[in-house]
Amino acid sequence: MLNEILGATARSEDIGTRTAAGDAPARPGWTAPAKPASGDPVADLREAILAKLAYAIGKTPETARERDWFAATALALRDRIVDACMDGRSTSIPNKRVYYLSLEFLIGRLLSDAMNNLGLVDTTRRALRDLGIELGDVEAAEPDAALGNGGLGRLAACFMESMASLSIPAIGYGIRYDHGLFKQSLEDGWQKEAPETWLAEGNPWEFVRPEATYTIGFGGHVTMSAISDGVIRRHWHPAETVRAVAHDVPVVGWRGKHVNTLRLWKAEANSPLELAQFNGGDHVGAVAARSKVEAISRVLYPSDSSESGQELRLRQEYFFTSASLQDLVSRHVAERGDLRSLPDHAAIQLNDTHPAIAVPELMRILLEDHGLAWEDAWHITTHTLSYTNHTLLPEALETWPVELMERLLPRHMQIIYLINWMHLEEQGRHGRADAAQLASVSLIDEANGKRVRMGHLAFLGARRVNGVSALHTDLMRSTVFKDLHALDTDKIVNKTNGITFRRWFHNCNPELTKLAVEVVGERVLDDPEALLGLADYAADSAFQARYAAMRTSRKEALAKVVAENSGIVVDPSALFDTQIKRIHEYKRQLLNVIETVALYQAIKAEPHKDWTPRVKIFGGKAAPSYVQAKLIIKLACDVAKLVNSDPDIAGRLKVVFLPNYRVSLAEAIIPGSDLSEQISTAGMEASGTGNMKLALNGALTVGTLDGANIEIRDHVGADNIFIFGLDAAGVQKRAAEPDYAARAIAASPRLSAALDFIEAGGFSPEERGRFQPIVDDLRHNDRYLLTVDFDDYWRVQREIDAAWIDKASWWKKAILNTARMAWFSSDRSMREYADDIWRVKVG
Ligand SMILES: *Cc1c(COP(=O)(O)O)cnc(C)c1O
């Protein structure tokens, strides 16, 4: 890993230096250049930061802005990360590496991660304080690296951190988008999107690696030639090419024991401008081609579990997949010589189908660039790749039109056809020639104008295919992949998601971490299972008081964030009820909003009753083209406006929609939350990870039996979670009944009254019909069975109101949640992947 961090990139010229296959050549050693050291860590870091400020940023302490201090601090810490590569580890080549391919890495800020994992939080705080600078201000000056939409991208970031912490040699591969996920603002309750500009002032964490540049082709045609033994070879002649340039971000693991690399590709044109054209006076035209090519890494697609992509999206997918495979193949050749041993030394994980083009691309590289026979290439491919599925929603299963694939990737389309032909032939040989069954396992969906099914492609090319929670994996086997599963029943395995405790516990909630360390000892920082020791104190009133005090202080901090971001004043003694995640109909924010409306009506009807004070906190972005999701945000904001200002409510119900939900905002909201809303339609949320972050921090879950909620219930205990609604089988059954929504509404006076009020313009007097599309959909369609689950959701919410009053019982449940969430550490997920899927040694 060291040489990777330091820029030694295997390249094809190195092939000549290889030793016998399987026998890795030794790399030259490296020693850190001597640095002046006073023996005082605070003084040393302070001087290092000052030196960076002067020599790397060109500023004096007097002229430095917070952002400059951040860059200087990050650069000083980056040096320590490079040094950490040295300590206690050899510079030899690891026997096997994991390559994690993901179109998204939703990283957030890196400074607190780096400081915490290097054990330098206090040292940095004191070094900066010596200089009259507050660490908190410096941390706040770091822009979030938002190279992802939501759960899928955040999972990739958690996995990278965990692999580094477990010393699993790994390289993450993705795209270095100029612009990450859009910035969300609310204008009169309507979502507005603005471009995100995290790179505007550079990125102090990254190393640019111009020497690791690969050429990526698009379009063109394929020719054939016969080679001596009569075998026909094909050659792809792309019409256009673009260069992928590596940018490396070091990922330091817990206690600085191991450092991995996140390698992000930037698209660059072959030549910056057409000089002849420029000299001819066409100054704009001379750079137009460059601008088109470089659009590939310009911006993250802001869609999440929805809508099919555009051509540029396919270009992004192929661009980063091809660059990554070329990189890892040339590294393997340089280190090991023979590509036949690739499966022994490389495990490639495809995060969703976005890199599924890896299947034909690896085949192409092996066949064309390295002259392997088809059978050998297929063996290598299917023993190196594995695929993680993230959704079963039909609209989110990726397919590409054959016509587009033929135009953009003609050679890959040929390979896909050949894979499919052999796959379908084999079915015939096994006597499975039933037309419907063949159509269901084919790589080509013929029903919708001929499209390539990327999930099927990834399935066939993978050694293992995994779901991300027990329920989701079962549903994979019984629904979308049913027929493919029948052909190879060992292929699908479950790997329930996890979260890194370093970010979602230690860094975001130092007070709770301190409490845990005091009670169960330091080892809790290294072994989350030690958290179980907290369970012994769950009913201890002295410990409960300390736990409650921790929560109060986090809620006061959150109340400040709420006031700053929304202008709404909330009372930290109220129940803080949180739903933070992408806005999507299947996640059912609308169920929560309509329950809020019903609660508002109930308080209005009986204003003198003893209502449990609640603050409903919402956060989340809607895909810019997702009209219904944006209307749900507007409804939440309009409900907030009326409810928050109604004197009858007297502050007992407050509604807040916090704009621009992102990792750093999540870190502020989660420790201050009492209740975690995980209310998706059962069978639709593959896993969820927000549910884990909140439960770990002691929020009680109100949820359906969906995704990882089921496993959370199994761990925390049914008494310590609030479950409601239909389960996945119940949803399937009910959805098949005619008029289920109309009947559910007719059976629920409370739901009817809430819908009538919305429909009558109760929250939009200036535009009565504003929310008609929402009400109409619920009355006549309701694909997400909100109406069916409504009454049970209302029931469980009133149960929660009552539970909140009994504080001793509430805190006991909360403490048991924290104590019993250890299993949901992404360290556990990564160990399982390492053992079952990658077969790579941990540590
Ligand atoms: C964890 C996280 C998510 C995923 O949340 P879910 O509730 O699992 O959908 C999305 N966005 C951010 C910023 C996160 O931190």
Side-chain angles (χ1 to χ4, degrees):
M1 281 305 95
L2 172 65
N3 289 3
E4 276 145 24
I5 292 298
L6 297 178
T9 304
R11 299 197 302 154
S12 41
E13 301 91 271
D14 299 336
I15 296 169
T17 66
R18 76 191 181 211
T19 55
D23 187 2
R27 290 185 175 186
W30 182 81
T31 40
K35 295 190 186 70
S38 66
D40 172 358
V42 174
D44 286 349
L45 188 58
R46 186 187 64 221
E47 294 313 309
I49 293 171
L50 278 175
K52 292 295 180 191
L53 190 68
Y55 302 122
I57 320 287
K59 288 270 182 110
T60 63
E62 292 71 36
T63 58
R65 305 159 306 151
E66 238 92 64
R67 168 67 214 212
D68 301 319
W69 285 111
F70 156 69
T73 308
L75 288 169
L77 288 168
R78 194 181 69 166
D79 286 358
R80 304 300 176 95
I81 295 174
V82 173
D83 291 345
C85 295
M86 279 289 295
D87 292 343
R89 280 177 311 105
S90 74
T91 54
S92 67
I93 295 166
N95 181 54
K96 193 168 192 178
R97 284 193 193 85
V98 173
Y99 295 104
Y100 197 85
L101 270 62
S102 181
L103 199 52
E104 304 193 2
F105 288 92
L106 185 48
I107 297 164
R109 294 174 175 152
L110 279 173
L111 182 57
S112 56
D113 251 25
M115 284 186 306
N116 182 49
N117 282 1
L118 292 169
L120 290 174
V121 179
D122 249 26
T123 309
T124 312
R125 188 190 318 277
R126 288 166 57 199
L128 286 168
R129 196 163 284 162
D130 282 357
L131 298 162
I133 303 295
E134 274 310 307
L135 174 59
D137 297 335
V138 173
E139 287 181 307
E142 178 174 13
D144 276 38
L147 311 183
N149 276 283
L152 176 150
R154 185 52 236 173
L155 186 77
C158 281
F159 282 2
M160 286 305 296
E161 200 277 344
S162 273
M163 284 191 281
S165 290
L166 294 174
S167 301
I168 297 174
I171 298 182
Y173 283 120
I175 294 180
R176 181 181 177 276
Y177 302 104
D178 295 334
H179 305 285
L181 187 60
F182 66 85
K183 237 166 81 184
Q184 177 199 56
S185 62
L186 297 171
E187 283 180 23
D188 191 28
W190 294 105
Q191 170 174 299
K192 287 280 170 315
E193 303 95 24
E196 183 284 333
T197 56
W198 70 298
L199 291 175
E201 299 197 32
N203 177 7
W205 299 112
E206 75 184 5
F207 294 97
V208 188
R209 305 284 186 217
E211 75 279 18
T213 294
Y214 298 91
T215 300
I216 316 296
F218 291 100
H221 64 282
V222 179
T223 57
M224 289 190 286
S225 65
I227 59 171
S228 54
D229 55 1
V231 176
I232 288 175
R233 291 267 168 226
R234 290 165 201 271
H235 313 275
W236 178 27
H237 309 276
E240 5 160 7
T241 57
V242 51
R243 284 150 28 97
V245 183
H247 290 61
D248 289 353
V249 178
V251 180
V252 59
W254 176 233
R255 298 210 190 270
K257 282 191 198 135
H258 186 92
V259 183
N260 280 330
T261 302
L262 174 60
R263 173 159 282 189
L264 302 175
W265 302 106
K266 179 183 192 316
E268 284 185 6
N270 281 311
S271 69
L273 82 169
E274 295 300 325
L275 203 54
Q277 209 176 349
F278 187 87
N279 291 339
D282 182 4
H283 301 154
V284 175
V287 293
R290 171 184 177 187
S291 163
K292 176 170 181 265
V293 158
E294 296 183 350
I296 290 177
S297 60
R298 190 88 68 219
V299 50
L300 168 81
Y301 267 84
S303 62
D304 184 68
S305 299
S306 61
E307 76 196 292
S308 57
Q310 304 298 307
E311 179 175 327
L312 180 60
R313 169 77 167 199
L314 182 57
R315 282 177 183 264
Q316 288 186 337
E317 294 183 356
Y318 178 63
F319 165 78
F320 102 97
T321 302
S322 176
S324 309
L325 292 180
Q326 290 186 55
D327 191 45
L328 72 90
V329 164
S330 64
R331 182 178 301 108
H332 178 84
V333 168
E335 289 177 358
R336 311 277 173 182
D338 187 357
L339 271 170
R340 282 174 184 76
S341 65
L342 186 69
D344 300 333
H345 302 294
I348 302 173
Q349 192 68 33
L350 309 179
N351 193 26
D352 211 322
T353 55
H354 313 144
I357 198 72
V359 177
E361 172 66 0
L362 186 53
M363 288 296 288
R364 187 194 64 80
I365 292 172
L366 297 174
L367 295 169
E368 277 182 23
D369 298 353
H370 296 273
L372 267 70
W374 178 276
E375 291 71 23
D376 294 336
W378 186 242
H379 178 88
I380 292 168
T381 299
T382 53
H383 286 76
T384 307
L385 298 177
S386 290
Y387 153 56
T388 304
N389 173 273
H390 283 274
T391 179
L392 300 172
L393 293 181
E395 68 272 34
L397 290 174
E398 219 181 359
T399 64
W400 290 105
V402 165
E403 164 278 330
L404 173 61
M405 293 276 281
E406 278 173 341
R407 180 159 52 78
L408 213 59
L409 300 168
R411 179 67 184 119
H412 298 78
M413 199 59 232
Q414 288 180 344
I415 293 171
I416 289 169
Y417 277 134
L418 194 47
I419 293 171
N420 200 35
W421 184 77
M422 291 181 157
H423 161 58
L424 296 178
E425 276 290 293
E426 195 185 325
Q427 304 317 305
R429 277 203 304 283
H430 288 83
R432 291 183 288 249
D434 170 61
Q437 212 178 350
L438 286 183
S440 107
V441 299
S442 172
L443 294 184
I444 311 294
D445 177 2
E446 311 268 355
N448 301 298
K450 278 201 184 250
R451 302 177 74 93
V452 181
R453 292 169 165 148
M454 302 307 274
H456 281 40
L457 179 62
F459 189 103
L460 286 188
R463 200 180 71 79
R464 288 281 180 269
V465 174
N466 76 285
V468 290
S469 73
L471 172 69
H472 169 235
T473 302
D474 283 346
L475 290 171
M476 282 174 71
R477 295 189 181 115
S478 63
T479 63
V480 173
F481 295 102
K482 183 166 187 270
D483 290 327
L484 283 171
H485 170 59
L487 309 179
D488 186 351
T489 51
D490 292 336
K491 199 178 254 193
I492 298 181
V493 295
N494 178 242
K495 292 287 161 274
T496 300
N497 283 167
I499 54 173
T500 165
F501 281 27
R502 268 75 60 187
R503 182 178 292 265
W504 298 109
F505 188 51
H506 307 172
N507 291 351
C508 84
N509 204 341
E511 285 169 82
L512 180 53
T513 305
K514 186 158 165 274
L515 209 49
V517 167
E518 282 171 22
V519 173
V520 300
E522 277 275 328
R523 74 197 170 93
V524 74
L525 299 176
D526 297 278
D527 175 15
E529 293 290 334
L531 270 177
L532 269 173
L534 284 183
D536 297 342
Y537 299 83
D540 176 316
S541 60
F543 184 71
Q544 285 188 355
R546 296 173 72 195
Y547 193 94
M550 170 280 296
R551 177 68 54 76
T552 299
S553 114
R554 302 318 301 161
K555 288 171 78 173
E556 285 165 358
L558 176 52
K560 250 195 212 151
V561 171
V562 167
E564 280 161 16
N565 284 277
S566 70
I568 298 166
V569 177
V570 297
D571 176 1
S573 71
L575 191 166
F576 279 15
D577 170 354
T578 298
Q579 188 169 20
I580 44 173
K581 49 185 76 246
R582 285 300 287 254
I583 310 294
H584 205 292
E585 287 165 285
Y586 85 81
K587 291 176 181 279
R588 298 203 294 195
Q589 282 92 355
L590 184 56
L591 176 59
N592 191 352
V593 172
I594 292 179
E595 193 271 338
T596 307
V597 172
L599 180 58
Y600 170 68
Q601 292 180 310
I603 299 176
K604 291 284 279 183
E606 294 181 86
H608 301 298
K609 215 176 126 179
D610 179 16
W611 296 97
T612 295
R614 248 196 220 240
V615 179
K616 293 240 190 192
I617 298 167
F618 293 89
K621 294 174 182 174
S625 61
Y626 195 166
V627 174
Q628 196 79 346
K630 290 170 120 173
L631 194 56
I632 291 168
I633 294 176
K634 174 62 174 162
L635 177 60
C637 292
D638 281 358
V639 169
K641 200 157 79 181
L642 188 68
V643 168
N644 295 346
S645 63
D646 190 325
D648 286 351
I649 300 301
R652 287 171 296 180
L653 176 61
K654 286 255 167 121
V655 183
V656 177
F657 196 108
L658 286 177
N660 206 28
Y661 178 59
R662 60 197 185 283
V663 171
S664 55
L665 188 56
E667 288 163 351
I669 296 172
I670 287 166
S673 295
D674 298 306
L675 186 66
S676 160
E677 298 269 355
Q678 308 298 338
I679 60 177
S680 52
T681 314
M684 296 196 181
E685 186 74 270
S687 163
T689 49
N691 48 3
M692 301 169 189
K693 301 166 195 165
L694 282 150
L696 174 63
N697 281 275
L700 305 190
T701 302
V702 53
T704 47
L705 288 174
D706 197 14
N709 293 353
I710 297 173
E711 288 151 272
I712 292 175
R713 179 200 59 178
D714 293 346
H715 279 85
V716 305
D719 290 345
N720 304 306
I721 188 169
F722 299 96
I723 298 292
F724 74 97
L726 293 177
D727 64 8
V731 164
Q732 274 183 16
K733 189 157 161 286
R734 184 66 71 92
E737 292 175 11
D739 300 326
Y740 59 83
R743 289 197 283 134
I745 295 169
S748 172
R750 207 178 298 279
L751 175 58
S752 298
L755 292 181
D756 290 348
F757 189 66
I758 296 169
E759 194 167 33
F763 298 102
S764 56
E766 68 283 13
E767 188 190 349
R768 189 162 177 247
R770 179 180 296 153
F771 300 114
Q772 198 64 47
I774 286 179
V775 177
D776 282 347
D777 182 77
L778 290 179
R779 290 196 196 287
H780 307 299
N781 183 26
D782 190 23
R783 184 178 155 202
Y784 303 98
L785 283 81
L786 184 158
T787 60
V788 176
D789 276 345
F790 181 83
D791 277 353
D792 204 34
Y793 183 55
W794 172 271
R795 173 199 62 75
V796 81
Q797 288 288 16
R798 303 295 75 79
E799 195 186 305
I800 290 164
D801 282 342
W804 177 250
I805 305 304
D806 182 355
K807 282 289 163 19
S809 159
W810 185 279
W811 293 122
K812 180 179 167 206
K813 291 180 202 294
I815 294 164
L816 287 175
N817 266 264
T818 300
R820 294 172 176 173
M821 284 299 290
W823 189 79
F824 296 91
S825 161
S826 45
D827 296 356
R828 186 269 315 155
S829 307
M830 287 294 85
R831 279 201 186 89
E832 289 186 6
Y833 277 77
D835 291 347
D836 291 3
I837 299 183
W838 303 329
R839 297 190 281 197
V840 56
K841 219 177 116 251
V842 172

